[in-house]
Amino acid sequence: MQRNLSYNLSNLSFLVVDDNKNMRLLIIQVMHALGIREIKEAEDGSSALKALKTFPIDIVICDWNMEPLDGIDFTRTVRTASDSPNPFVPIIMLTGHTEMSRVEEARDAGVHEFLAKPISAKSLYQRIVSVVEVTRNFIRSPKYTGPDRRRSKGKSLYMGPERRKQE
């Protein structure tokens, strides 16, 4: 799939959540290079929740491994808490652990995109573009709340009757 490499991201607001200050600074420098101007920082999931309540955020970039509230618990709280200011906000999860079980756990928590460390400007940009370009329905069910986990894999989205209704 050919992606547009000329998005103007300057009007979007981002929240970068990582307990490592150097990693936050690196991510923010890359984002500035991509033309992003509005960036808030948080050093853990708890302070990120406060930031979400204070500032209108378009996209969250969040590390997995943090204390006291890690990226997975942060994502679940954003998606399901009754006082969540924006349960629909796209979340890009960062981690150095890329095992399939981790990717699936992040997906099942309600993460939109997954990005392995070390990051590059290109990989971060691709995940941001994916969030901007690919509109995914939001699902609320007893077992899952978040963006639709099914992806079209380059094909047009299925528009027929509910194909999994019998399952």
Side-chain angles (χ1 to χ4, degrees):
M1 177 196 280
Q2 181 66 22
R3 296 235 184 250
N4 183 344
L5 297 177
S6 60
Y7 277 107
N8 178 355
L9 303 174
S10 64
N11 293 324
L12 295 177
S13 60
F14 287 79
L15 174 61
V16 176
V17 188
D18 198 311
D19 58 345
N20 183 316
K21 183 176 177 125
N22 292 324
M23 183 53 97
R24 279 197 319 269
L25 290 174
L26 173 69
I27 294 166
I28 290 169
Q29 285 179 335
V30 169
M31 294 171 79
H32 282 304
L34 294 174
I36 298 166
R37 295 181 297 196
E38 187 68 32
I39 305 167
K40 301 296 180 194
E41 295 180 60
E43 60 188 22
D44 60 47
S46 297
S47 56
L49 289 171
K50 291 175 189 168
L52 274 177
K53 292 179 182 182
T54 309
F55 303 102
I57 301 295
D58 295 309
I59 299 174
V60 176
I61 299 171
C62 181
D63 185 37
W64 183 312
N65 231 359
M66 299 179 292
E67 293 289 333
L69 188 67
D70 69 18
I72 294 295
D73 290 335
F74 164 77
T75 300
R76 287 188 180 121
T77 302
V78 167
R79 298 290 183 237
T80 61
S82 60
D83 64 340
S84 177
N86 188 357
F88 309 105
V89 66
I91 298 174
I92 300 171
M93 181 69 67
L94 299 174
T95 185
H97 303 280
T98 58
E99 303 86 7
M100 184 53 75
S101 61
R102 291 270 193 149
V103 174
E104 290 171 350
E105 185 177 357
R107 177 204 63 196
D108 292 346
V111 167
H112 278 74
E113 291 292 332
F114 193 84
L115 181 57
K117 291 179 182 177
I119 69 161
S120 68
K122 181 179 179 182
S123 63
L124 179 60
Y125 182 77
Q126 287 173 334
R127 296 320 183 283
I128 292 169
V129 167
S130 178
V131 165
V132 170
E133 283 186 350
V134 181
T135 305
R136 292 164 61 190
N137 292 330
F138 198 81
I139 308 296
R140 282 192 191 269
S141 74
K143 293 184 178 184
Y144 174 74
T145 301
D148 191 340
R149 296 177 287 194
R150 293 175 283 177
R151 296 189 181 245
S152 65
K153 294 186 171 81
K155 301 174 188 167
S156 63
L157 294 175
Y158 180 73
M159 300 300 286
E162 294 179 333
R163 68 181 180 137
R164 292 190 171 121
K165 196 169 189 175
Q166 293 85 10
E167 292 179 14

